Amino acid sequence: MLDFINTVTIDDENSELIILDQTLLPNQTKFLHLKTKKEFWDAIYKLQVRGAPAIGIAAAFGIYLCAKNVDTEDYQAFYDAFMEDKAYLASSRPTAVNLFWALDRMEKCVIDNKDKSVADIKKALLHESEKILDEDIRTCEQIGENGLSLLKPNMGLLTHCNAGTLATGRYGTALSPIYRGQEKGYNFKVFADETRPLLQGARLTSWELNKFGVDVTLICDNMASIVMKNGWVDAVLVGCDRVASNGDTANKIGTSGVAILAREYGIPFYVLGPLSTIDMATPTGKEIKIEERPGEEIYKMWYERPMAPEGIKTYNPAFDVTDAKYITAIITEKGIAYPPFSESLKKMFE
Ligand code: MRU
């Protein structure tokens, strides 16, 4: 069994959210002990904790810790304070639906327990946040099983960004079948796109796959085409931040280009994610809000000196939407959805 790290946990006794600081990887493995709502917000905004499911888990623990600090016995006063903190944490990042999904689930927990004392509501919130983590671990494990059913030993696989154990409670989504295969001796050969500008592929995916002994080759984003043309890629596996009800999928910037290339070369393109990332309330990709981040991330952040003139005009969208027509299948814990996704995704929720 592979020895996975816990990326997001809670220390209730000390009222701390504990996260592995992903901005320091691969050079440092450091855990942050966060106590205040500003620290929770910053950790999500700065991508110290990142990846749609991990953001949801961190937000659930975060909102519980905020609620724990609310000093009142009055339900309405407690609820009002909860909603204020909820709105604040929800403003940290706009695209990954798991953030809102987890916060809504925590709000429902408050409402469902409104007849209890505030102390008991707090206990229920802790329990709910722990359930969100536990469920994510089991969900990712099942996504791994379902994904592996589409793969064969010795396949070449390409992935973009990081949808691994670092991005979830454990196992990952897109990387979960790779780990299941690794345990069974499948001997996959994985190409990890570096994923400009924040380098989640280089810093995180190549780090975690390498740590678990998977054969991983790091490539720059603009090399995906040549490895496909060389015949080295049998399937593309990516995660997702929000899947619209028609199957259009927001994921890390660059994913859409990879899907278009895969179509050109006749390579299946699989999206893997939990049902909590499928947003049936969003009809198409057009309605998904795409996060834009500071231009400095493109030309400054990872370099000793700026790699473009100071003050250069930039455009830095953090995600793009892959049109459903390029997606071969969407793999969830419930099973595998094939086109037309507006029908198959609906069935997943029945
Ligand atoms: O900006 P990030 O690093 O949070 O973006 C992450 C991704 O795009 C992942 O592919 C997605 O969240 C799925 S994680 C299982």
Coordinates of all heavy atoms in Angstrom, one line a residue, residues 19-56:
I19 N -2.5 22.3 7.0 CA -2.4 22.0 5.6 C -0.9 21.9 5.2 O 0.0 22.5 5.8 CB -3.0 23.0 4.7 CG1 -2.4 24.4 5.0 CG2 -4.5 23.1 4.9 CD1 -2.7 25.4 3.9
L20 N -0.6 21.0 4.3 CA 0.7 20.9 3.7 C 0.8 22.1 2.7 O 0.0 22.3 1.8 CB 0.8 19.6 2.9 CG 2.1 19.4 2.1 CD1 3.3 19.4 3.0 CD2 2.0 18.1 1.3
D21 N 1.8 23.0 2.9 CA 2.0 24.2 2.1 C 2.5 23.8 0.7 O 3.7 23.5 0.5 CB 2.9 25.1 2.8 CG 3.0 26.5 2.0 OD1 2.5 26.5 0.8 OD2 3.5 27.4 2.5
Q22 N 1.5 23.7 -0.3 CA 1.9 23.3 -1.6 C 2.7 24.3 -2.4 O 3.3 23.9 -3.4 CB 0.6 22.9 -2.4 CG -0.1 21.8 -1.7 CD -1.2 21.2 -2.5 OE1 -1.1 21.0 -3.7 NE2 -2.3 20.8 -1.9
T23 N 2.8 25.5 -1.9 CA 3.6 26.5 -2.7 C 5.1 26.2 -2.4 O 5.9 26.7 -3.2 CB 3.3 27.9 -2.2 OG1 3.6 28.1 -0.8 CG2 1.8 28.3 -2.5
L24 N 5.4 25.4 -1.4 CA 6.8 25.2 -1.1 C 7.3 23.9 -1.7 O 8.6 23.7 -1.8 CB 7.0 25.1 0.4 CG 6.7 26.4 1.2 CD1 6.9 26.2 2.7 CD2 7.4 27.6 0.7
L25 N 6.4 23.1 -2.2 CA 6.9 21.8 -2.9 C 7.5 22.1 -4.2 O 7.1 23.1 -4.9 CB 5.6 20.9 -3.0 CG 5.1 20.2 -1.8 CD1 3.8 19.5 -2.0 CD2 6.1 19.3 -1.2
P26 N 8.4 21.3 -4.7 CA 9.0 20.1 -4.1 C 10.1 20.3 -3.2 O 10.7 19.3 -2.7 CB 9.4 19.4 -5.4 CG 9.9 20.5 -6.3 CD 9.1 21.6 -6.0
N27 N 10.5 21.5 -2.9 CA 11.7 21.7 -2.1 C 11.6 21.6 -0.6 O 12.6 21.3 0.1 CB 12.3 23.1 -2.5 CG 12.6 23.2 -4.0 OD1 13.3 22.3 -4.5 ND2 12.2 24.2 -4.6
Q28 N 10.4 21.8 -0.1 CA 10.2 21.8 1.3 C 8.9 21.1 1.6 O 7.8 21.4 1.0 CB 10.1 23.2 1.8 CG 11.3 23.7 2.6 CD 10.9 25.0 3.2 OE1 10.2 25.1 4.2 NE2 11.4 26.1 2.6
T29 N 8.8 20.2 2.6 CA 7.6 19.6 3.0 C 7.2 20.2 4.4 O 7.8 19.8 5.4 CB 7.7 18.1 3.2 OG1 8.2 17.6 1.9 CG2 6.4 17.4 3.4
K30 N 6.4 21.3 4.3 CA 6.1 22.0 5.6 C 4.6 22.1 5.8 O 3.9 22.4 4.9 CB 6.7 23.4 5.4 CG 6.6 24.3 6.7 CD 7.2 25.6 6.5 CE 6.7 26.6 7.6 NZ 7.0 27.9 7.3
F31 N 4.2 21.8 7.0 CA 2.8 21.9 7.4 C 2.5 23.2 8.1 O 3.3 23.7 8.9 CB 2.4 20.7 8.3 CG 2.3 19.4 7.5 CD1 3.4 18.6 7.4 CD2 1.1 19.0 6.9 CE1 3.4 17.5 6.7 CE2 1.0 17.9 6.2 CZ 2.2 17.1 6.1
L32 N 1.4 23.9 7.6 CA 1.0 25.2 8.2 C -0.1 24.9 9.3 O -1.0 24.0 9.0 CB 0.5 26.1 7.2 CG 1.4 26.5 6.0 CD1 0.6 27.3 5.0 CD2 2.6 27.2 6.5
H33 N 0.0 25.6 10.4 CA -1.1 25.4 11.4 C -1.8 26.7 11.5 O -1.3 27.7 11.9 CB -0.4 25.1 12.8 CG 0.2 23.8 12.8 ND1 -0.2 22.7 13.6 CD2 1.3 23.3 12.1 CE1 0.5 21.7 13.4 NE2 1.5 22.0 12.5
L34 N -3.1 26.7 10.9 CA -3.8 28.0 10.7 C -4.9 28.1 11.7 O -5.6 27.1 12.0 CB -4.3 28.0 9.3 CG -3.3 27.7 8.2 CD1 -4.0 27.7 6.8 CD2 -2.2 28.7 8.2
K35 N -5.1 29.3 12.2 CA -6.1 29.5 13.2 C -7.2 30.6 12.9 O -8.3 30.5 13.4 CB -5.4 30.0 14.5 CG -4.8 28.9 15.3 CD -4.2 29.4 16.6 CE -3.7 28.3 17.5 NZ -4.8 27.6 18.2
T36 N -6.8 31.5 12.0 CA -7.8 32.6 11.8 C -8.4 32.5 10.4 O -7.9 31.9 9.5 CB -7.1 34.0 11.9 OG1 -6.2 34.1 10.8 CG2 -6.3 34.2 13.2
K37 N -9.6 33.2 10.3 CA -10.3 33.1 9.0 C -9.5 33.8 7.9 O -9.5 33.3 6.8 CB -11.7 33.7 9.1 CG -11.9 35.1 9.5 CD -13.4 35.4 9.6 CE -13.6 36.3 10.8 NZ -15.0 36.5 11.1
K38 N -8.7 34.8 8.3 CA -7.9 35.5 7.3 C -6.8 34.5 6.8 O -6.5 34.4 5.6 CB -7.2 36.7 7.9 CG -6.1 37.4 7.1 CD -6.7 38.3 6.1 CE -5.7 39.2 5.4 NZ -4.7 38.5 4.5
E39 N -6.3 33.7 7.7 CA -5.3 32.6 7.3 C -5.9 31.6 6.4 O -5.3 31.1 5.5 CB -4.7 32.0 8.6 CG -3.7 32.9 9.3 CD -3.2 32.3 10.6 OE1 -3.9 31.4 11.2 OE2 -2.2 32.7 11.1
F40 N -7.1 31.2 6.7 CA -7.8 30.2 5.9 C -8.0 30.7 4.5 O -7.8 30.1 3.5 CB -9.2 29.8 6.5 CG -9.2 29.3 7.9 CD1 -10.3 29.5 8.7 CD2 -8.0 28.8 8.5 CE1 -10.3 29.1 10.1 CE2 -8.0 28.4 9.8 CZ -9.2 28.6 10.6
W41 N -8.5 32.0 4.4 CA -8.8 32.6 3.1 C -7.5 32.7 2.3 O -7.4 32.4 1.2 CB -9.4 34.0 3.4 CG -9.9 34.7 2.2 CD1 -11.2 34.7 1.8 CD2 -9.2 35.5 1.2 NE1 -11.4 35.4 0.6 CE2 -10.1 35.9 0.2 CE3 -7.9 35.8 1.0 CZ2 -9.8 36.7 -0.9 CZ3 -7.5 36.6 -0.1 CH2 -8.5 37.0 -1.1
D42 N -6.4 33.2 3.0 CA -5.2 33.4 2.3 C -4.6 32.0 1.8 O -4.1 32.0 0.7 CB -4.1 33.9 3.2 CG -4.2 35.4 3.4 OD1 -5.0 36.1 2.6 OD2 -3.5 36.0 4.2
A43 N -4.7 31.0 2.6 CA -4.2 29.7 2.2 C -4.9 29.2 0.9 O -4.3 28.6 0.0 CB -4.4 28.7 3.3
I44 N -6.2 29.4 0.8 CA -6.9 29.0 -0.4 C -6.5 29.9 -1.6 O -6.2 29.5 -2.7 CB -8.4 29.0 -0.2 CG1 -8.8 28.0 0.9 CG2 -9.2 28.7 -1.5 CD1 -10.3 28.0 1.3
Y45 N -6.6 31.3 -1.3 CA -6.3 32.2 -2.4 C -4.8 32.0 -3.0 O -4.6 32.0 -4.2 CB -6.4 33.7 -2.0 CG -6.0 34.6 -3.0 CD1 -6.9 34.8 -4.2 CD2 -4.8 35.3 -3.0 CE1 -6.5 35.6 -5.2 CE2 -4.4 36.1 -4.0 CZ -5.3 36.3 -5.1 OH -4.9 37.1 -6.2
K46 N -3.9 31.8 -2.0 CA -2.5 31.7 -2.5 C -2.1 30.3 -3.0 O -0.9 30.0 -3.2 CB -1.6 32.0 -1.3 CG -1.6 33.5 -0.9 CD -0.6 33.7 0.3 CE -0.7 35.1 0.8 NZ 0.0 35.2 2.1
L47 N -3.1 29.4 -3.0 CA -2.9 28.0 -3.4 C -1.9 27.2 -2.5 O -1.3 26.3 -2.9 CB -2.3 28.0 -4.9 CG -3.4 28.0 -6.0 CD1 -4.2 29.3 -6.0 CD2 -2.7 27.9 -7.4
Q48 N -1.9 27.6 -1.2 CA -1.1 26.8 -0.3 C -1.9 25.4 -0.1 O -1.3 24.4 0.1 CB -1.0 27.5 1.1 CG 0.0 28.7 1.0 CD 0.0 29.5 2.2 OE1 -1.1 29.9 2.7 NE2 1.1 29.9 2.6
V49 N -3.2 25.6 -0.2 CA -4.1 24.4 -0.3 C -4.8 24.6 -1.7 O -5.3 25.7 -1.9 CB -5.0 24.1 0.9 CG1 -5.9 25.3 1.1 CG2 -5.8 22.9 0.7
R50 N -4.8 23.6 -2.5 CA -5.4 23.8 -3.8 C -5.9 22.4 -4.4 O -5.6 21.4 -3.8 CB -4.4 24.5 -4.8 CG -3.0 24.0 -4.6 CD -2.3 23.3 -5.7 NE -3.1 22.8 -6.8 CZ -3.2 21.5 -7.0 NH1 -2.7 20.6 -6.2 NH2 -3.9 21.1 -8.1
G51 N -6.6 22.5 -5.5 CA -7.2 21.3 -6.1 C -8.7 21.4 -5.5 O -8.9 21.5 -4.3
A52 N -9.6 21.1 -6.4 CA -11.0 21.4 -6.1 C -11.5 20.6 -4.8 O -12.0 21.3 -3.8 CB -11.9 21.0 -7.2
P53 N -11.3 19.3 -4.7 CA -11.7 18.6 -3.5 C -11.0 19.1 -2.2 O -11.6 19.3 -1.1 CB -11.4 17.1 -3.7 CG -11.4 17.0 -5.2 CD -10.8 18.3 -5.7
A54 N -9.7 19.3 -2.3 CA -8.9 19.8 -1.1 C -9.4 21.2 -0.7 O -9.4 21.5 0.6 CB -7.4 19.8 -1.4
I55 N -9.7 22.0 -1.6 CA -10.2 23.4 -1.3 C -11.6 23.2 -0.5 O -11.8 23.9 0.5 CB -10.5 24.2 -2.5 CG1 -9.1 24.6 -3.2 CG2 -11.2 25.5 -2.2 CD1 -9.2 25.3 -4.6
G56 N -12.4 22.3 -1.0 CA -13.7 22.1 -0.3 C -13.5 21.6 1.1 O -14.1 22.0 2.1

